[in-house]
Amino acid sequence: MDGKKSKYVFEHPECWKDETRMNALFAPFRDREVNPIFYDVKMKFWKDLIQEACSNVGYFTIQELNTAFTRNRRIPYCTANIVKDLIMSGDVRTKEEFLKSTPGQSWKKWAVQTVVVNPLYWSFSKIKQTMGYEQNDVEVLDNKEYVHIPAIKKKSESLLSTANEAHVCGKVFAFEELRQKIAKSEDSASFNLYIHWLHLTGMAVTMIDPNDNKTQLVKLAEPGDKAKPMTEQELAIYSLQYNENKLSKSIEKLESEKEELILEAKAFLKKGMRQSAKNCLRKKKDLEKRIDKQAASLENIQCLLDNVRDAESNNRVVESYKYGLAALKSTFQEAGTTADNVADTMDEVKDMLEQHDEIKESIGSPLSPTVDELELEDELAELLANNVAPSPLSKLLNDFPVPPSESPTSSPSKENLSNTSKMQKVRKLEAL
């Protein structure tokens, strides 16, 4: 792109450096019958380039495009033909007609009326090339502003997504306030086109502020829905917020003026001008009264806004309760669940658990007949009462002498040694 800086930004295609190719593309259009293939290729080349150049602006004039597409101090001689074709296809409209259009209006009839039925609409003029261009007369359209619809559509959808992320959808804003929130880098003219496109497609509603006919109000559609008309409640909230901002700015300004009066009073005192200093203090007192009144009004507005926000929050909570209750009822109805059904089911569960315990007890009972323990005890007693042959151990124990009743006072006798020997033998037998 040569010449002065343009607002239209685009990437030069690879063929931009091909002199022969670009000469053919910059030349005026011939009749399509001469070479239909090259005619269509050339038309597509310029249409794509115009759309890319308008991607961040949305509107253009023929002269501005020629300046943007200047190459080696030469402008394209075919821009007017391309714009005519874009109008016929519905991709371009004049900015004036676009802003007058309403939702549901057909543009095809307008295009036919403009280009075919009323060719005098096109006003051509001869302009002499300047800035070092080739000294040829170039036929151009009047300096009208045109809107590129596909570029506007794409940019508008992007802004709507940005607005959703910024949580401004479904709320009423002044035009300029909304631009500052979601499209600060866009100029007002372009942003106005984007909002109008959203209005035409049902994704935004607009109206003039009832309190200020110079201010346009905008409400964007919430995700997955069309834009709904502004309600009296929304307009009331906007009015409160508008007055809140206005009062805040007014108080800031008065506070600043008060500080300046204090500085002036101090300056007069330094110069010995006591009366002038008193006048400054009187003005300061008046400002303080105004500040107090406006601060009280601001507090009342903020209190009202807080109450409104609380009411909205409460409404959302109640609505969520309603949705939850409806879902719960629907779930119970689909399953056929009632209090009686639940009670019957619990009774059946208890019965089944009791049957289960009985089954476990039956499974754990012994298969062989049970022997009476009392009978076994009686039989053991009979065995003990009968004469049983004594064992070797019992014989030895019976042969033991009776132990002495007194402790021995002298050395062990032979008899005691014999008894000790018998005890050792008993222990050995027990070990066996």
Side-chain angles (χ1 to χ4, degrees):
M1 186 165 52
D2 301 336
K4 65 179 182 180
K5 187 177 180 181
S6 172
K7 61 184 177 182
Y8 304 101
V9 181
F10 63 95
E11 291 185 6
H12 292 131
E14 293 184 3
C15 65
W16 199 261
K17 296 180 180 180
D18 187 336
E19 196 68 31
T20 303
R21 174 74 171 168
M22 295 310 298
N23 283 337
L25 291 172
F26 268 56
F29 274 97
R30 296 182 180 181
D31 291 337
R32 188 175 183 278
E33 291 75 12
V34 176
N35 189 346
I37 295 177
F38 180 71
Y39 183 97
D40 293 341
V41 170
K42 181 176 178 178
M43 186 65 73
K44 184 179 185 306
F45 171 85
W46 285 112
K47 283 184 177 181
D48 292 345
L49 202 60
I50 289 174
Q51 179 169 345
E52 183 181 355
C54 294
S55 60
N56 291 322
V57 181
Y59 64 97
F60 64 89
T61 65
I62 301 296
Q63 287 85 341
E64 287 174 343
L65 285 183
N66 284 338
T67 301
F69 297 145
T70 297
R71 178 183 177 276
N72 295 336
R73 301 196 173 194
R74 181 186 178 191
I75 63 174
Y77 298 163
C78 52
T79 315
N81 299 81
I82 300 165
V83 173
K84 285 182 183 181
D85 197 86
L86 286 170
I87 290 174
M88 289 298 297
S89 66
D91 288 338
V92 165
R93 290 191 72 181
T94 63
K95 186 177 178 181
E96 181 182 2
E97 290 292 334
F98 175 76
L99 292 176
K100 287 181 180 178
S101 57
T102 56
Q105 181 180 348
S106 173
W107 295 347
K108 188 173 182 181
K109 183 179 179 181
W110 171 85
V112 173
Q113 179 71 23
T114 299
V115 181
V116 179
V117 179
N118 188 18
L120 292 179
Y121 173 86
W122 300 99
S123 176
F124 291 91
S125 61
K126 300 284 185 178
I127 62 170
K128 207 70 175 177
Q129 296 302 299
T130 56
M131 299 172 57
Y133 293 124
E134 295 178 1
Q135 297 300 313
N136 295 324
D137 291 339
V138 181
E139 198 173 45
V140 297
L141 287 169
D142 272 352
N143 192 25
K144 292 182 180 292
E145 289 185 324
Y146 297 91
V147 176
H148 196 285
I149 304 302
I152 289 286
K153 178 178 181 293
K154 185 176 181 181
K155 188 68 177 181
S156 300
E157 292 173 350
S158 175
L159 286 180
L160 191 60
S161 177
T162 302
N164 182 35
E165 294 174 358
H167 304 290
V168 300
C169 292
K171 301 177 183 178
V172 178
F173 291 94
F175 175 88
E176 185 59 27
E177 183 184 4
L178 183 62
R179 186 180 74 86
Q180 292 294 328
K181 287 182 176 294
I182 65 174
K184 194 173 183 179
S185 61
E186 301 288 342
D187 61 86
S188 295
S190 296
F191 188 68
N192 188 37
L193 296 176
Y194 305 145
I195 294 298
H196 188 66
W197 172 259
L198 292 174
H199 171 63
L200 293 177
T201 56
M203 302 308 293
V205 291
T206 61
M207 67 175 291
I208 301 299
D209 186 351
N211 301 318
D212 183 6
N213 56 10
K214 294 182 180 179
T215 301
Q216 183 184 28
L217 303 181
V218 183
K219 178 184 175 183
L220 299 178
E222 296 187 78
D225 197 3
K226 292 287 186 180
K228 298 178 181 178
M230 301 178 194
T231 63
E232 292 184 2
Q233 180 184 359
E234 291 172 336
L235 292 174
I237 292 174
Y238 164 78
S239 180
L240 287 173
Q241 292 174 335
Y242 173 81
N243 289 321
E244 180 187 25
N245 293 332
K246 191 174 181 179
L247 281 173
S248 296
K249 291 178 181 178
S250 178
I251 291 172
E252 287 181 10
K253 184 179 179 181
L254 292 176
E255 289 286 357
S256 178
E257 291 178 3
K258 187 179 83 170
E259 294 298 326
E260 290 178 0
L261 286 173
I262 293 174
L263 293 176
E264 287 181 10
K266 289 180 179 179
F268 284 133
L269 284 176
K270 287 182 180 180
K271 296 178 181 179
M273 303 170 65
R274 297 180 61 84
Q275 189 60 40
S276 298
K278 287 182 179 180
N279 290 335
C280 289
L281 293 178
R282 288 192 189 95
K283 293 179 180 178
K284 181 181 77 70
K285 293 291 185 182
D286 292 338
L287 286 178
E288 287 176 346
K289 292 179 181 178
R290 291 174 60 189
I291 290 172
D292 290 340
K293 289 181 180 179
Q294 293 190 8
S297 299
L298 179 61
E299 184 177 357
N300 291 336
I301 289 175
Q302 291 174 338
C303 182
L304 284 173
L305 283 173
D306 289 340
N307 290 334
V308 169
R309 294 187 183 104
D310 290 342
E312 290 177 344
S313 177
N314 292 336
N315 289 338
R316 286 193 293 269
V317 172
V318 172
E319 286 297 319
S320 65
Y321 287 163
K322 289 180 180 178
Y323 292 140
L325 180 60
L328 190 60
K329 287 181 177 178
S330 176
T331 302
F332 283 155
Q333 289 175 357
E334 291 177 0
T337 304
T338 63
D340 293 337
N341 290 342
V342 173
D344 293 341
T345 302
M346 294 305 298
D347 290 339
E348 292 180 5
V349 170
K350 290 178 181 178
D351 293 339
M352 291 302 300
L353 291 176
E354 291 176 359
Q355 294 181 20
H356 178 65
D357 291 339
E358 293 176 0
I359 291 171
K360 284 201 309 183
E361 185 177 352
S362 298
I363 292 175
S365 60
L367 298 177
S368 58
T370 304
V371 179
D372 190 355
E373 291 291 331
L374 293 176
E375 293 181 0
L376 293 176
E377 290 293 340
D378 293 340
E379 189 174 350
L380 286 175
E382 291 178 1
L383 291 174
L384 291 173
N386 295 333
N387 293 326
V388 181
S391 64
L393 178 60
S394 60
K395 285 184 177 182
L396 288 174
L397 291 175
N398 293 330
D399 293 339
F400 283 169
V402 178
S405 58
E406 296 180 359
S407 300
T409 55
S410 60
S411 61
S413 61
K414 290 182 180 179
E415 185 179 354
N416 291 339
L417 290 174
S418 177
N419 291 337
T420 301
S421 177
K422 288 181 180 179
M423 290 294 295
Q424 290 177 349
K425 288 179 181 180
V426 170
R427 291 195 181 103
K428 288 180 179 179
L429 288 173
E430 288 177 346
L432 292 177

